[in-house]
Amino acid sequence: MTPEPDRCDVNTLVELPGSSPVAGAVRWDPVHSLWNGTMLAASLLVAPFVFSWGALVVCVLMTGATLLLGHSVGFHRRLIHRSFDCPLWLERMLVWVGTLVGMSGPLWMIRTHDLRDWAQRRSDCHDYLAHRRPPLHDAWWQLHCRLELAHPPAFDLGRAGRDPFYRFLEATWMAQQLPVAALLFAAGGWGWVVWGICVRVSLSVTGHWFVGHLAHRTGPQSWLVTEAGVQAHDVPWAAIATMGEAWHNNHHAFPGSARIGLYPGQSDWGYAFLLLLEKAGLVWNIALPEHLAREGALTRVAPEHAHASVPAAVAVLGRG
Protein backbone atom coordinates (compact mmCIF):
# COMPACT_ATOMS: atom_id res chain seq x y z
CA MET A 1 0.00 0.00 0.00
CA THR A 2 1.44 3.38 -1.02
CA PRO A 3 1.86 5.66 2.00
CA GLU A 4 -0.13 8.88 1.99
CA PRO A 5 2.11 11.85 1.09
CA ASP A 6 2.91 14.46 3.72
CA ARG A 7 0.28 17.19 3.28
CA CYS A 8 2.90 19.81 4.17
CA ASP A 9 5.35 18.77 1.46
CA VAL A 10 5.41 20.25 -2.04
CA ASN A 11 4.37 16.93 -3.53
CA THR A 12 4.20 17.79 -7.24
CA LEU A 13 7.68 19.29 -7.52
CA VAL A 14 10.67 17.11 -8.40
CA GLU A 15 14.08 18.57 -7.60
CA LEU A 16 16.66 17.87 -10.27
CA PRO A 17 20.45 18.06 -9.76
CA GLY A 18 21.30 21.73 -9.55
CA SER A 19 17.69 22.93 -9.28
CA SER A 20 17.72 26.47 -7.91
CA PRO A 21 15.01 29.10 -7.26
CA VAL A 22 17.53 31.95 -7.40
CA ALA A 23 18.90 32.56 -10.91
CA GLY A 24 16.38 33.35 -13.62
CA ALA A 25 14.88 35.94 -15.93
CA VAL A 26 11.42 37.53 -15.81
CA ARG A 27 9.78 37.47 -19.25
CA TRP A 28 6.55 38.99 -20.54
CA ASP A 29 3.72 36.42 -20.52
CA PRO A 30 1.48 37.47 -23.46
CA VAL A 31 -1.42 35.12 -22.65
CA HIS A 32 -1.93 36.19 -19.04
CA SER A 33 -0.93 39.79 -19.71
CA LEU A 34 -3.47 40.29 -22.49
CA TRP A 35 -6.16 38.48 -20.51
CA ASN A 36 -5.57 40.44 -17.30
CA GLY A 37 -5.14 43.69 -19.23
CA THR A 38 -8.38 43.20 -21.15
CA MET A 39 -10.35 42.44 -18.00
CA LEU A 40 -8.93 45.55 -16.29
CA ALA A 41 -9.53 47.77 -19.31
CA ALA A 42 -13.15 46.65 -19.57
CA SER A 43 -13.60 47.25 -15.84
CA LEU A 44 -12.24 50.80 -16.02
CA LEU A 45 -13.50 51.93 -19.42
CA VAL A 46 -16.78 50.06 -19.96
CA ALA A 47 -18.18 49.03 -16.58
CA PRO A 48 -19.05 52.58 -15.39
CA PHE A 49 -21.28 53.09 -18.44
CA VAL A 50 -23.27 49.87 -17.96
CA PHE A 51 -23.55 50.08 -14.18
CA SER A 52 -26.71 49.03 -12.38
CA TRP A 53 -27.34 47.95 -8.82
CA GLY A 54 -28.32 44.54 -10.10
CA ALA A 55 -25.01 44.21 -11.96
CA LEU A 56 -23.11 45.20 -8.81
CA VAL A 57 -24.95 42.60 -6.74
CA VAL A 58 -24.18 39.95 -9.37
CA CYS A 59 -20.50 40.94 -9.29
CA VAL A 60 -20.27 40.79 -5.49
CA LEU A 61 -22.13 37.49 -5.15
CA MET A 62 -20.24 35.78 -7.97
CA THR A 63 -16.88 37.04 -6.71
CA GLY A 64 -17.58 35.70 -3.22
CA ALA A 65 -18.92 32.38 -4.48
CA THR A 66 -16.08 31.66 -6.91
CA LEU A 67 -13.39 32.66 -4.41
CA LEU A 68 -14.96 30.56 -1.65
CA LEU A 69 -15.97 27.40 -3.50
CA GLY A 70 -13.40 27.54 -6.26
CA HIS A 71 -10.19 29.27 -5.32
CA SER A 72 -10.02 28.68 -1.56
CA VAL A 73 -11.70 25.29 -1.17
CA GLY A 74 -11.37 23.75 -4.65
CA PHE A 75 -7.97 24.90 -5.85
CA HIS A 76 -6.02 25.62 -2.69
CA ARG A 77 -7.27 23.37 0.09
CA ARG A 78 -8.21 20.38 -2.10
CA LEU A 79 -6.36 20.24 -5.42
CA ILE A 80 -3.06 21.68 -4.18
CA HIS A 81 -2.77 20.69 -0.52
CA ARG A 82 -5.17 17.72 -0.34
CA SER A 83 -6.22 18.91 3.10
CA PHE A 84 -9.52 17.00 2.98
CA ASP A 85 -11.05 14.10 1.07
CA CYS A 86 -14.20 14.20 -1.04
CA PRO A 87 -15.82 12.44 -4.02
CA LEU A 88 -14.15 13.06 -7.36
CA TRP A 89 -17.33 14.61 -8.80
CA LEU A 90 -17.33 17.21 -6.02
CA GLU A 91 -13.62 17.93 -6.45
CA ARG A 92 -14.13 18.46 -10.17
CA MET A 93 -17.07 20.77 -9.59
CA LEU A 94 -15.09 22.88 -7.12
CA VAL A 95 -12.09 23.00 -9.47
CA TRP A 96 -14.34 24.13 -12.34
CA VAL A 97 -15.61 26.96 -10.14
CA GLY A 98 -11.98 27.76 -9.32
CA THR A 99 -11.25 28.02 -13.03
CA LEU A 100 -14.07 30.58 -13.29
CA VAL A 101 -12.13 32.87 -10.93
CA GLY A 102 -10.13 33.67 -14.05
CA MET A 103 -6.52 33.37 -12.90
CA SER A 104 -5.60 30.41 -15.11
CA GLY A 105 -6.19 26.69 -15.54
CA PRO A 106 -5.91 24.20 -12.66
CA LEU A 107 -2.60 22.65 -13.74
CA TRP A 108 -0.96 26.06 -14.15
CA MET A 109 -2.23 26.97 -10.69
CA ILE A 110 -0.66 23.85 -9.15
CA ARG A 111 2.72 24.42 -10.81
CA THR A 112 2.79 28.14 -10.00
CA HIS A 113 1.77 27.61 -6.37
CA ASP A 114 4.14 24.72 -5.74
CA LEU A 115 7.11 26.45 -7.37
CA ARG A 116 6.58 29.45 -5.07
CA ASP A 117 6.11 27.24 -1.99
CA TRP A 118 9.31 25.31 -2.77
CA ALA A 119 11.27 28.49 -3.43
CA GLN A 120 10.12 30.32 -0.31
CA ARG A 121 11.11 27.40 1.91
CA ARG A 122 14.69 27.54 0.61
CA SER A 123 17.29 29.85 2.14
CA ASP A 124 17.01 32.24 -0.84
CA CYS A 125 14.97 32.67 -3.99
CA HIS A 126 14.38 35.06 -6.87
CA ASP A 127 12.71 38.40 -6.05
CA TYR A 128 9.78 37.37 -8.27
CA LEU A 129 9.04 34.40 -6.02
CA ALA A 130 9.47 36.40 -2.80
CA HIS A 131 7.44 39.52 -3.75
CA ARG A 132 10.49 41.62 -2.80
CA ARG A 133 10.08 44.37 -5.40
CA PRO A 134 7.99 47.56 -4.79
CA PRO A 135 4.23 47.17 -5.33
CA LEU A 136 3.91 48.48 -8.90
CA HIS A 137 6.98 46.55 -10.03
CA ASP A 138 5.72 43.39 -8.36
CA ALA A 139 2.24 43.88 -9.85
CA TRP A 140 3.68 44.05 -13.37
CA TRP A 141 5.74 40.94 -12.76
CA GLN A 142 2.96 38.86 -11.19
CA LEU A 143 0.08 39.89 -13.47
CA HIS A 144 1.89 40.23 -16.79
CA CYS A 145 5.10 38.18 -16.65
CA ARG A 146 6.50 34.76 -15.84
CA LEU A 147 9.78 33.66 -14.30
CA GLU A 148 12.09 31.44 -16.35
CA LEU A 149 14.56 29.86 -13.95
CA ALA A 150 18.02 29.00 -15.23
CA HIS A 151 17.93 25.65 -13.37
CA PRO A 152 14.26 24.82 -12.78
CA PRO A 153 12.84 21.75 -11.04
CA ALA A 154 10.50 19.33 -12.79
CA PHE A 155 6.88 18.58 -11.96
CA ASP A 156 4.83 15.43 -11.62
CA LEU A 157 1.20 16.46 -11.24
CA GLY A 158 0.07 12.89 -10.56
CA ARG A 159 -3.63 12.10 -10.86
CA ALA A 160 -4.57 15.73 -11.44
CA GLY A 161 -2.17 15.95 -14.36
CA ARG A 162 -3.67 12.84 -15.95
CA ASP A 163 -7.30 13.81 -15.32
CA PRO A 164 -8.93 14.46 -18.72
CA PHE A 165 -11.35 16.99 -17.23
CA TYR A 166 -8.55 19.05 -15.70
CA ARG A 167 -6.59 18.87 -18.94
CA PHE A 168 -9.68 20.17 -20.74
CA LEU A 169 -10.02 23.03 -18.25
CA GLU A 170 -6.33 23.83 -18.67
CA ALA A 171 -6.76 24.15 -22.44
CA THR A 172 -9.99 26.17 -22.25
CA TRP A 173 -9.72 28.16 -19.00
CA MET A 174 -10.54 31.50 -20.63
CA ALA A 175 -13.40 30.04 -22.68
CA GLN A 176 -15.03 28.71 -19.48
CA GLN A 177 -16.35 32.25 -18.96
CA LEU A 178 -18.47 32.04 -22.14
CA PRO A 179 -21.38 29.90 -20.89
CA VAL A 180 -21.56 32.00 -17.74
CA ALA A 181 -21.52 35.17 -19.86
CA ALA A 182 -24.37 33.81 -21.97
CA LEU A 183 -26.49 33.19 -18.87
CA LEU A 184 -25.68 36.64 -17.50
CA PHE A 185 -26.59 38.28 -20.82
CA ALA A 186 -29.92 36.44 -20.92
CA ALA A 187 -30.69 37.53 -17.35
CA GLY A 188 -29.44 41.13 -17.33
CA GLY A 189 -27.87 42.19 -20.62
CA TRP A 190 -24.40 43.58 -21.21
CA GLY A 191 -24.21 45.26 -17.82
CA TRP A 192 -24.42 41.93 -16.05
CA VAL A 193 -21.84 40.44 -18.43
CA VAL A 194 -19.29 43.22 -17.90
CA TRP A 195 -19.73 43.30 -14.12
CA GLY A 196 -20.21 39.55 -13.70
CA ILE A 197 -17.22 38.59 -15.84
CA CYS A 198 -14.75 41.44 -16.45
CA VAL A 199 -15.03 43.32 -13.15
CA ARG A 200 -15.24 40.10 -11.15
CA VAL A 201 -12.17 38.58 -12.81
CA SER A 202 -10.18 41.81 -12.49
CA LEU A 203 -11.07 42.17 -8.81
CA SER A 204 -10.18 38.54 -8.10
CA VAL A 205 -6.87 38.50 -9.98
CA THR A 206 -5.68 41.90 -8.79
CA GLY A 207 -6.86 41.27 -5.25
CA HIS A 208 -5.10 37.92 -5.16
CA TRP A 209 -1.84 39.60 -6.15
CA PHE A 210 -2.27 42.48 -3.69
CA VAL A 211 -3.01 40.30 -0.65
CA GLY A 212 -0.20 37.91 -1.65
CA HIS A 213 2.22 40.83 -1.95
CA LEU A 214 1.34 42.13 1.52
CA ALA A 215 1.37 38.63 3.04
CA HIS A 216 5.06 38.30 2.21
CA ARG A 217 6.04 41.82 3.23
CA THR A 218 4.43 43.04 6.45
CA GLY A 219 1.86 42.24 9.11
CA PRO A 220 1.42 40.16 12.27
CA GLN A 221 3.10 36.79 12.67
CA SER A 222 2.66 33.87 15.04
CA TRP A 223 5.30 31.53 13.62
CA LEU A 224 8.61 31.47 11.78
CA VAL A 225 9.37 28.51 9.53
CA THR A 226 12.82 27.04 10.17
CA GLU A 227 15.38 27.77 7.44
CA ALA A 228 12.82 29.43 5.16
CA GLY A 229 14.19 32.45 3.32
CA VAL A 230 10.72 33.98 2.94
CA GLN A 231 8.42 34.25 5.96
CA ALA A 232 4.71 34.98 5.80
CA HIS A 233 2.48 37.54 7.51
CA ASP A 234 -1.24 37.72 8.20
CA VAL A 235 -3.39 40.35 6.46
CA PRO A 236 -6.30 40.64 8.94
CA TRP A 237 -8.42 43.17 7.02
CA ALA A 238 -8.60 40.79 4.03
CA ALA A 239 -9.74 37.72 5.98
CA ILE A 240 -13.38 37.80 4.90
CA ALA A 241 -12.70 38.82 1.30
CA THR A 242 -10.20 35.96 0.89
CA MET A 243 -12.38 33.38 2.69
CA GLY A 244 -9.70 32.91 5.36
CA GLU A 245 -6.70 32.73 3.03
CA ALA A 246 -5.31 36.03 4.38
CA TRP A 247 -4.14 34.32 7.58
CA HIS A 248 -1.06 33.51 5.54
CA ASN A 249 1.37 33.18 8.43
CA ASN A 250 -0.78 30.36 9.77
CA HIS A 251 -0.77 28.76 6.33
CA HIS A 252 3.03 28.84 6.00
CA ALA A 253 3.27 27.24 9.44
CA PHE A 254 0.67 24.52 8.72
CA PRO A 255 0.34 24.33 4.92
CA GLY A 256 -1.54 21.05 4.94
CA SER A 257 -4.24 22.27 7.33
CA ALA A 258 -7.74 22.75 5.96
CA ARG A 259 -8.28 25.30 8.70
CA ILE A 260 -6.31 28.51 8.12
CA GLY A 261 -7.93 30.87 10.62
CA LEU A 262 -6.64 29.17 13.76
CA TYR A 263 -7.12 31.65 16.59
CA PRO A 264 -10.10 33.41 18.20
CA GLY A 265 -11.49 36.12 15.95
CA GLN A 266 -9.84 34.79 12.78
CA SER A 267 -12.63 34.46 10.22
CA ASP A 268 -12.27 31.44 7.93
CA TRP A 269 -15.28 30.96 5.68
CA GLY A 270 -13.47 28.29 3.68
CA TYR A 271 -13.15 26.08 6.75
CA ALA A 272 -16.73 26.83 7.78
CA PHE A 273 -17.91 25.69 4.34
CA LEU A 274 -15.92 22.46 4.73
CA LEU A 275 -17.61 21.79 8.05
CA LEU A 276 -21.00 22.14 6.34
CA LEU A 277 -19.92 19.68 3.66
CA GLU A 278 -18.66 17.32 6.36
CA LYS A 279 -22.06 17.38 8.08
CA ALA A 280 -23.64 16.53 4.72
CA GLY A 281 -21.30 13.54 4.37
CA LEU A 282 -19.53 15.00 1.32
CA VAL A 283 -16.17 15.71 2.98
CA TRP A 284 -14.06 13.67 5.40
CA ASN A 285 -10.49 13.40 6.76
CA ILE A 286 -10.21 17.14 7.29
CA ALA A 287 -6.60 17.88 8.24
CA LEU A 288 -5.91 20.24 11.15
CA PRO A 289 -2.60 21.54 12.55
CA GLU A 290 -2.49 18.88 15.27
CA HIS A 291 -2.60 16.18 12.56
CA LEU A 292 0.54 17.46 10.83
CA ALA A 293 4.16 16.54 11.58
CA ARG A 294 5.55 20.03 12.25
CA GLU A 295 7.65 19.39 15.37
CA GLY A 296 10.93 21.26 15.05
CA ALA A 297 9.84 22.99 11.84
CA LEU A 298 8.48 26.09 13.57
CA THR A 299 9.53 28.75 16.05
CA ARG A 300 6.96 30.70 18.06
CA VAL A 301 7.19 34.46 17.52
CA ALA A 302 7.75 36.67 20.57
CA PRO A 303 4.42 37.26 22.38
CA GLU A 304 4.37 41.01 21.74
CA HIS A 305 4.32 40.32 17.97
CA ALA A 306 2.06 37.27 18.01
CA HIS A 307 -1.57 36.41 18.53
CA ALA A 308 -2.34 36.32 22.25
CA SER A 309 -4.24 33.04 22.31
CA VAL A 310 -2.77 29.86 20.79
CA PRO A 311 -4.66 26.56 21.09
CA ALA A 312 -2.66 24.05 23.15
CA ALA A 313 -2.76 21.41 20.39
CA VAL A 314 -1.17 23.94 18.03
CA ALA A 315 1.29 25.52 20.45
CA VAL A 316 2.99 22.20 21.22
CA LEU A 317 3.99 21.87 17.56
CA GLY A 318 6.12 24.98 17.84
CA ARG A 319 8.32 23.64 20.61
CA GLY A 320 11.82 22.59 19.83
Side-chain angles (χ1 to χ4, degrees):
M1 182 177 179
T2 303
E4 184 175 338
D6 185 344
R7 297 179 196 255
C8 292
D9 282 347
V10 185
N11 289 300
T12 70
L13 186 141
V14 181
E15 284 200 50
L16 303 175
S19 292
S20 170
V22 179
V26 179
R27 312 286 189 194
W28 182 54
D29 180 347
V31 173
H32 288 91
S33 180
L34 293 174
W35 171 258
N36 293 334
T38 299
M39 294 296 107
L40 181 59
S43 300
L44 296 176
L45 301 177
V46 180
F49 297 100
V50 293
F51 172 82
S52 69
W53 291 110
L56 178 61
V57 169
V58 165
C59 177
V60 171
L61 291 179
M62 288 189 65
T63 300
T66 54
L67 288 176
L68 173 61
L69 278 68
H71 181 74
S72 180
V73 174
F75 272 178
H76 196 206
R77 306 190 204 209
R78 174 56 190 170
L79 193 63
I80 292 172
H81 287 292
R82 302 281 170 180
S83 61
F84 63 92
D85 292 330
C86 68
L88 181 58
W89 67 263
L90 178 58
E91 178 189 291
R92 285 175 168 170
M93 184 185 74
L94 294 171
V95 169
W96 175 73
V97 176
T99 304
L100 289 182
V101 173
M103 293 181 192
S104 198
L107 305 184
W108 183 93
M109 293 291 292
I110 295 173
R111 285 191 294 267
T112 299
H113 176 281
D114 283 2
L115 178 67
R116 194 177 298 273
D117 263 20
W118 168 73
Q120 291 179 353
R121 297 178 192 185
R122 304 288 289 266
S123 60
D124 191 16
C125 66
H126 194 282
D127 285 356
Y128 177 98
L129 297 167
H131 294 280
R132 289 196 189 102
R133 295 300 175 94
L136 291 180
H137 192 161
D138 191 53
W140 169 253
W141 272 8
Q142 305 299 330
L143 300 177
H144 298 277
C145 302
R146 65 179 181 270
L147 174 65
E148 296 180 356
L149 289 172
H151 305 286
F155 288 90
D156 179 358
L157 302 186
R159 179 182 64 79
R162 297 187 298 271
D163 190 301
F165 181 64
Y166 295 156
R167 294 168 72 90
F168 169 71
L169 291 182
E170 186 71 14
T172 63
W173 66 272
M174 288 181 281
Q176 294 302 315
Q177 305 293 339
L178 294 177
V180 179
L183 292 174
L184 290 174
F185 181 78
W190 285 113
W192 281 32
V193 173
V194 172
W195 282 83
I197 301 294
C198 301
V199 177
R200 172 181 59 82
V201 169
S202 192
L203 284 173
S204 298
V205 173
T206 306
H208 180 266
W209 158 76
F210 185 55
V211 174
H213 178 82
L214 294 179
H216 297 97
R217 304 274 294 198
T218 185
Q221 294 176 303
S222 298
W223 308 95
L224 296 178
V225 179
T226 304
E227 298 182 352
V230 179
Q231 300 292 339
H233 305 260
D234 293 330
V235 188
W237 60 265
I240 293 178
T242 62
M243 308 302 161
E245 300 286 338
W247 305 114
H248 204 58
N249 180 258
N250 296 344
H251 178 61
H252 269 226
F254 306 102
S257 174
R259 184 178 182 180
I260 302 176
L262 301 179
Y263 311 128
Q266 292 190 341
S267 170
D268 188 349
W269 287 20
Y271 179 63
F273 179 66
L274 284 175
L275 293 181
L276 289 177
L277 292 179
E278 184 182 43
K279 289 182 179 180
L282 295 174
V283 157
W284 57 92
N285 291 340
I286 297 177
L288 298 175
E290 53 265 35
H291 304 147
L292 307 174
R294 300 298 279 165
E295 292 85 357
L298 305 174
T299 301
R300 188 82 170 91
V301 174
E304 61 269 22
H305 301 296
H307 297 282
S309 177
V310 180
V314 175
V316 71
L317 297 176
R319 296 174 184 169

